[in-house]
Amino acid sequence: MSAAAHVAREQRGDGEPALVVASGGRRWHGVIEADAMRAELVRAGVPAETIVCERCSLSTRENARFTAALLRRRGMRRALVVTCDWHLPRALAAFRRTGLEVEGFAAPSVAIPLRRRVVRWGRERVLAWAVGIGPFVLGVGGCSRGHAAGASVSDAAIEGGPRGADVLTLIERAEDQRRAKDVPAEAQRTHDPVVRRRAARAYARILDSDDAPLLRALADDDEEVTAWAAYGLGESCHGKEDAHVSALSARLASMDAARPVRAPLDARLATLRALGRCAGDVAEQTLRAWIRRADAAVETQEAAAFAIGDVASRRGSLSLESAGALLDATQRTPALDAALYPLGRNEVAGGEELAPRVLASARAALARPGPSRFFAVRALGRSGADAAGDLAHVLASKDFTAPERAEAARGLARLHKAGRAALADALGAIVPASAGALGSDDFGVLAAAVEATGDQPTKSEAAPLWALTRIEPDASATPTVARRASQLRCAAAAKLAHGAWDSDVLRGCDVADGEAGENARLEALDKGDLTKARRAAWLELTHSAHLRVREAAIEMIERHPEAGDAALPPIADALASGQAGLVATAADVVHAHPDRMYTLAASEKRAALDPAAPPPTANPLKEVNVWVAKGLRDAMAHPWSEDLVETRVAVLDAALALGLDEAKPYAQAACHDANATVRTRAAKALAAAGQKDATCPAPEKPEDVAPEAEAPLAHATRVVFDTDAGSFGIRFDPALAPVAASRFVALARSGFYTGVVVHRVVPGFVVQLGDRGGDGYGGSGQSLRCETSPVPFGALDVGVALAGRDTGSSQVFVTLARHPHLDGEYAWVGRADGDWDAVAEGDVVRAVHVEP
């Protein structure tokens, strides 16, 4: 019986038909081995839909390795290897080295002379001993020496020749190196959907100027391929809006609106969100039409609502027509509370008369707990003064989640007089009796409420603020409780000080390490002119021992031109500090205000001091302050690690703004940088400096492939962070971002995150950590290229923190509620567990454990 006939018989058995992999990539007389095998199998009666061709391998070792990878992605554990009788032992040895279940079937070979049989026997023994590792395969091979089209293929077709390359590996490398031309052309033509999906994902992440591959993939009949293509077209819409919107709208029209959603990569969801990214009138009309469809699945209507929110954010306001369509949808379908998202995030152009309808829809949604209730709370903040009582109830009630309560505080701040009065009452109701309550998620709610209070508190607001300044940690309080108490006390004190930086309420607010008190003093100083004693107090804080206080003091220079020449020494010192965040902060000030970095020439100084000196010229000569210039040159010469992109581009912009002699060579070198964000900023900076048509194309020589791309995390892995606020977990999942997930787990195993400070917490929004410097500018020393995906960010989803394209490194964020504007903009790397709402800025990661 032939090999093909044997497989056909197995497929006709009682069990479920097996997946049959025709493995072989060599070409004989114009026919690829795998294709010839497939044709023979179909003729023997094997169902065509059960056959997958693996066209990459050029040897037995590669038959095992490549096909095993294909089967492993399908969760298959058993394999039947069919090959020539004399070749079977070596093939089985290759597959069994992995410990997986493998059965063999020997197909009889044709007779050959004794001498050739002896040579073949010796070769097989040597190769069997030397065979490399490889998982399992269901391979089919014949033993005829003929190579006619459609004939069975012998061992000559699977041995010898140059080493082949796994097409998926080639695609993944091309994606990681951002080289669209390295994606094999046949990847979009193969019958294997896994290969087509990876190719579409690669093109969507590379975002090459040629969008033809994405347009081809958009027409694919595979759900994931279409989803990736739509996502990529949305991300690359700039300058091609009409063409992309037309293609996306046409593809959307061919989709079944009522079909249940196939999460997470549903083609309709990705296409709708892509239209939102492209924006424009046609895109908005298409999205409104989808919102109005009575037959559309609710999840797809939610995606259309989020996309309308994207359009409004790009335009600056929500159109009256779209606002009306969204409100109609919420009234028609109570489960569609997500339609309130654009109404809570954007102003409605000329839509004051819609406020009562928004209020009614938001009030109705408050009665329905779930992820979309957050949007209802936010919408109340744009519903007018009548919503103040509803928001105050949300803020004061434990029936709502911490993110909803924090958002209610922000909503009250937008309602002006009515909102501030209601905020004062609600804040008074939630001020704790003792500092012991500050270890829970109530701390974030309190912090949001204090921040929402006006800078000039009314009498009703002042009462709860004074109560907060009197919270006293007892003698047994932990440093964590003392720090949180100081943060609240000083935030309240800064409101009550009315700009008096030396007031008693500020002087006594900090009961911890002093950072909260210094921040409060800076806030008070920022409310007045930096002159005389205020300037001296500010100068003292520009040299604070707390890095983030020092950075905040430098940032103030932008808002206080009256600081004059007194601002130059702190800027120079910051530029020369070698601390990435401090250097970036000072460089940003220089870039924004280069005119303030000059000092008068010596002749003007003499004229100012000596009335008898000759008058200065009509155009007085100015020169860059020598210390600022030196500090900036020091920053340019510093060996910044590749992942400190924010610092590198800030220094670049500042040097060109000041016209330093070294600036253009520095920018031209940056023009050849491996990082896309650095190249983009270099081109813009050179153009601003007078170099017209400056372009910085990607280097011809590709970057090295990230080591994690060669050996990604095998499965989702949970990492436990023991912090001041308790233990919290993150399960890093390599499904969508294998390089990033693998990197974070490796960093956790290395101890990188032990001792790290949680440097950013926005109650109701995100918790962010991963910078050992503690100010949000640092990383691990190695950058991560973006692995973004068209998937949503809901509560407790985890993403890679970015400062531009391909700028990730070691920082991650945990979302605290559903935030659609993050979707597709950041790489999704996993899910968190635990009460992350209880984490506060300044909490320290004491220990890290990686679970098996």
Side-chain angles (χ1 to χ4, degrees), residues 680-705:
T680 301
R681 289 289 289 272
K684 289 181 179 178
L686 286 169
Q691 185 172 320
K692 293 183 178 179
D693 301 323
T695 58
C696 298
E700 279 298 316
K701 183 181 179 182
E703 281 192 87
D704 292 337
V705 176

Side-chain angles (χ1 to χ4, degrees), residues 243-578:
H244 285 200
V245 167
S246 177
L248 291 164
S249 298
R251 187 67 179 92
L252 184 64
S254 69
M255 297 177 184
D256 180 1
R259 177 181 54 76
V261 168
R262 297 169 183 169
L265 293 176
D266 185 281
R268 295 164 302 171
L269 305 187
T271 305
L272 289 162
R273 295 304 300 273
L275 284 167
R277 284 181 171 81
C278 290
D281 292 339
V282 175
E284 189 172 13
Q285 289 166 11
T286 302
L287 294 168
R288 282 202 300 266
W290 196 276
I291 279 282
R292 293 187 174 110
R293 291 188 65 158
D295 62 333
V298 170
E299 296 90 343
T300 66
Q301 291 184 303
E302 288 181 352
F306 299 151
I308 289 175
D310 295 337
V311 173
S313 295
R314 282 160 174 75
R315 284 183 166 173
S317 64
L318 182 65
S319 70
L320 195 60
E321 295 85 351
S322 291
L326 292 165
L327 288 169
D328 289 345
T330 61
Q331 292 168 356
R332 182 180 64 250
T333 309
L336 197 54
D337 294 336
L340 292 169
Y341 165 72
L343 294 159
R345 187 171 171 79
N346 305 279
E347 295 289 347
V348 179
E352 292 78 9
E353 68 274 14
L354 288 180
R357 290 187 65 193
V358 176
L359 178 59
S361 293
R363 279 176 171 168
L366 285 185
R368 294 186 283 269
S372 296
R373 192 166 68 175
F374 182 85
F375 306 140
V377 175
R378 178 174 279 183
L380 285 170
R382 297 183 185 274
S383 301
D386 290 343
D390 301 275
L391 288 170
H393 170 67
V394 173
L395 174 57
S397 174
K398 289 293 188 85
D399 293 335
F400 292 86
T401 67
E404 290 165 350
R405 297 172 67 199
E407 189 59 36
R410 300 185 187 105
L412 286 166
R414 286 194 290 268
L415 298 182
H416 307 298
K417 186 176 181 180
R420 290 181 64 177
L423 175 62
D425 293 340
L427 181 56
I430 64 175
V431 171
S434 68
L438 301 182
S440 69
D441 54 19
D442 284 341
F443 175 81
V445 175
L446 281 164
V450 172
E451 185 178 359
T453 304
D455 287 337
Q456 299 294 327
T458 63
K459 288 184 178 180
S460 62
E461 291 174 312
L465 291 175
W466 279 112
L468 284 171
T469 65
R470 291 191 286 267
I471 292 178
E472 287 286 348
D474 58 33
S476 62
T478 65
T480 300
V481 170
R483 173 170 43 78
R484 292 186 179 205
S486 293
Q487 290 172 353
L488 279 180
R489 285 163 55 105
C490 292
K495 301 284 187 179
L496 295 167
H498 298 283
W501 61 274
D502 55 350
S503 64
D504 290 340
V505 68
L506 282 179
R507 194 176 293 117
C509 71
D510 199 319
V511 292
D513 62 2
E515 182 172 5
E518 289 186 351
N519 275 322
R521 287 174 63 198
L522 269 181
E523 188 176 336
L525 287 166
D526 203 12
K527 293 175 182 176
D529 289 342
L530 296 182
T531 57
K532 299 181 180 179
R534 296 178 68 86
R535 179 187 294 170
W538 166 74
L539 284 171
E540 182 181 346
L541 291 171
T542 63
H543 294 91
S544 169
H546 300 287
L547 177 60
R548 297 186 70 175
V549 172
R550 192 175 173 188
E551 289 169 358
I554 296 295
E555 283 179 353
M556 280 176 59
I557 293 171
E558 285 200 57
R559 301 186 291 275
H560 293 277
E562 75 279 1
D565 284 356
L568 299 182
I571 287 177
D573 290 345
L575 288 169
S577 68

